[in-house]
Amino acid sequence: AQKVTQAQTEISVVEKEDVTLDCVYETRDTTYYLFWYKQPPSGELVFLIRRNSFDEQNEISGRYSWNFQKSTSSFNFTITASQVVDSAVYFCALRISDTDKLIFGTGTRLQVFP
Amino acid sequence: EAGVAQSPRYKIIEKRQSVAFWCNPISGHATLYWYQQILGQGPKLLIQFQNNGVVDDSQLPKDRFSAERLKGVDSTLKIQPAKLEDSAVYLCASRPTGVLNTEAFFGQGTRLTVV
């Protein structure tokens, strides 16, 4: 079975703090893709990053960084020097290559206070 | 490039009424998803199409929900009759099949309130 777990329901930080959002996934497939999406209060799902199962190289994009570790089935997301505009719900998702099925976690609500 | 279009944006109906949502995916995207997102929860896949064929509808409550994708382009999701617990945002997404390393693109969703 495929599953995505985001154990942190809600995180609150003060601006400029670093914050890490956890994501643990389950799949028996060898080829899969992992994603992070941001859902601001306006409701749309904004794509942030994708990773395929063969590429464990970590990635940094500005204040955002992602740590993919197959050994622990985790794909964690870190925001450095958080800002109020980062306040949103963040979803981790898993897509299975052979079926194209896209499964989401339950999301982590991040609140950044000034 | 135009994004995924959904309509209406908002809908309020009474329980036991019927409602339909419409989605126009990005041109050329063969895979289309419908998700239900209840307030405070993650999106739950209702149905997945590839062209006009159903790939996965295992979580679609088939006694009241139906979906179709005629000609493999636009899609409609219908609820009949609606229940209070159907209040949610219904999200449509699409992606190009056969292109492995791409993400799904989402519409703005339809917020349904059943009273």
Side-chain angles (χ1 to χ4, degrees), chain B residues 11-96:
Chain B
K11 190 75 177 179
I12 301 175
I13 62 172
E14 295 183 352
K15 59 183 179 183
R16 291 188 289 275
Q17 285 188 325
S18 62
V19 64
F21 312 128
W22 174 82
C23 172
N24 184 284
I26 293 173
S27 177
H29 284 195
T31 299
L32 185 147
Y33 309 91
W34 280 103
Y35 287 88
Q36 179 193 57
Q37 186 177 17
I38 293 173
L39 185 64
Q41 300 183 17
K44 169 188 156 187
L45 180 66
L46 292 176
I47 189 166
Q48 175 186 338
F49 291 95
Q50 182 167 327
N51 295 308
N52 59 350
V54 175
V55 175
D56 187 328
D57 63 356
S58 56
Q59 296 197 82
L60 187 74
K62 299 180 184 64
D63 57 334
R64 298 183 302 105
F65 285 64
S66 64
E68 61 182 9
R69 191 181 183 198
L70 298 176
K71 301 181 181 178
V73 182
D74 293 5
S75 178
T76 55
L77 176 69
K78 297 179 182 177
I79 308 175
Q80 182 179 10
K83 292 185 175 181
L84 296 176
E85 59 260 37
D86 298 332
S87 294
V89 175
Y90 291 85
L91 296 163
C92 180
S94 70
R95 66 174 297 276

Side-chain angles (χ1 to χ4, degrees), chain A residues 33 35 37 39 45 47 50 52 91 95 97 99-102 104-106, chain B residues 31 33 35 37 41-43 45 48 56 91 95 100-104 106:
Chain A
Y33 299 84
F35 303 84
Y37 283 85
Q39 189 173 47
L45 279 166
F47 165 75
R50 66 176 170 271
N52 72 56
F91 291 99
R95 180 166 66 81
S97 179
T99 63
D100 220 17
K101 189 172 181 178
L102 181 61
F104 281 83
T106 51
Chain B
T31 299
Y33 309 91
Y35 287 88
Q37 186 177 17
Q41 300 183 17
L45 180 66
Q48 175 186 338
D56 187 328
L91 296 163
R95 66 174 297 276
L100 295 178
N101 204 21
T102 63
E103 67 274 18
F106 283 80

